[in-house]
Amino acid sequence: SRPSQDQDQRPTILCFIAEMAESIGSGKSWLISVPSKIPVLESSCVVIPCEYDYPTKGNLWKKWRGYWTRGDETVASNNPKFKLKQEFKGRSRITGTIESNDCTWQLDDVRETDTGPKTCLNNYLTSNFVKIVDCTGVPEPPVMTVSVNNHASATCTVTHACPSSPPKFSWSHPGKTKTSSKKLKEGLWSTKSTLTFTPEEADFNKPLKCTVNFNDKKTTEGSVLLVKKST
């Protein structure tokens, strides 16, 4: 049977579970890929990438239902009739398309209680572990660079686990800005803001500041010194 909704809360270690209408074997050849652990920022979101492969032989699926579980407790499902506990209601959802082998799961407003040791039950045909770790309330300062030629070009880069709601950047100096993101490994993303402007004499030997806002709840700041290039 499906994991119970009435179990006591447990530390969050998550298994992905696939439900089917007919059995298609022991499941030994099932494969699932998720990160082993993901560091997250408290009050931000975390998107856990998840892909799976299943045997092509045997009976066909009659329905596509996925569940993320914590011990005996289900924390996310694509079953519209399934009701989550209040702890996860409104902030937990499967964003992947199960029938397309995508079991990606998103948790919003991450809390310190969402972390914990690795304990999990192997239910149904396939499951795997992912551990939410290092749920910190203070974001790391950004990594910054600056170069000065005819123009000044500065970058401000942070790492995060919430690609659906990337951080926002603001600079202490006006100029042309560009923001880009790239996928890293283990469910992490890097987002960078680049500021370009023509410096005036008064801009040199002063700190150029970058402020990063995460989900409108947490901020961090970094600075670099704008030094005039020697001739």
Side-chain angles (χ1 to χ4, degrees):
S1 61
R2 212 166 37 237
S4 171
Q5 302 181 68
D6 302 321
Q7 300 295 321
D8 293 335
Q9 294 180 3
R10 299 185 180 185
T12 300
I13 285 311
L14 304 156
C15 294
F16 172 70
I17 297 172
E19 176 190 344
M20 48 182 273
E22 296 183 13
S23 174
I24 56 175
S26 65
K28 292 182 179 179
S29 58
W30 281 63
L31 297 174
I32 187 167
S33 174
V34 293
S36 60
K37 60 182 180 179
I38 299 180
V40 298
L41 177 64
E42 185 181 5
S43 78
S44 183
C45 90
V46 58
V47 177
I48 299 177
C50 173
E51 295 180 348
Y52 70 95
D53 193 17
Y54 58 94
T56 56
K57 297 179 181 180
N59 297 329
L60 297 176
W61 290 59
K62 290 184 177 179
K63 58 183 177 180
W64 300 86
R65 293 286 181 251
Y67 302 87
W68 279 90
T69 69
R70 180 177 67 176
D72 292 338
E73 179 184 21
T74 298
V75 300
S77 175
N78 69 334
N79 186 343
K81 297 182 180 180
F82 194 83
K83 295 182 179 180
L84 300 178
K85 278 192 171 182
Q86 189 64 35
E87 180 186 1
F88 292 97
K89 188 176 180 181
R91 69 185 188 103
S92 175
R93 61 188 183 276
I94 294 178
T95 57
T97 305
I98 303 297
E99 55 266 39
S100 299
N101 298 59
D102 186 350
C103 43
T104 298
W105 174 69
Q106 177 169 329
L107 178 65
D108 297 324
D109 192 21
V110 175
R111 305 166 185 172
E112 189 176 356
T113 53
D114 293 327
T115 67
K118 183 164 73 173
T119 56
C120 186
L121 300 176
N122 286 330
N123 294 324
Y124 296 99
L125 296 180
T126 182
S127 63
N128 212 343
F129 306 115
V130 57
K131 183 176 181 180
I132 299 177
V133 299
D134 300 333
C135 183
T136 177
V138 181
E140 292 288 331
V143 176
M144 298 190 64
T145 66
V146 65
S147 62
V148 180
N149 290 300
N150 294 330
H151 297 82
S153 179
T155 65
C156 181
T157 306
V158 292
T159 301
H160 60 96
C162 187
S164 62
S165 182
K168 302 175 183 177
F169 298 82
S170 59
W171 292 86
S172 61
H173 195 288
K176 182 180 179 181
T177 59
K178 179 182 178 181
T179 303
S180 60
S181 294
K182 67 177 181 179
K183 186 177 180 180
L184 305 177
K185 62 180 181 179
E186 290 291 294
L188 294 178
W189 290 74
S190 173
T191 299
K192 177 175 70 175
S193 175
T194 303
L195 170 71
T196 305
F197 64 96
T198 302
E200 298 180 357
E201 194 66 32
D203 294 323
F204 292 109
N205 299 315
K206 291 183 178 179
L208 181 63
K209 296 181 181 180
C210 170
T211 302
V212 189
N213 183 298
F214 296 88
N215 204 32
D216 294 327
K217 294 181 179 179
K218 301 282 185 178
T219 60
T220 186
E221 186 179 274
S223 66
V224 289
L225 194 66
L226 193 64
V227 179
K228 190 173 184 178
K229 185 177 180 180
S230 58
T231 59

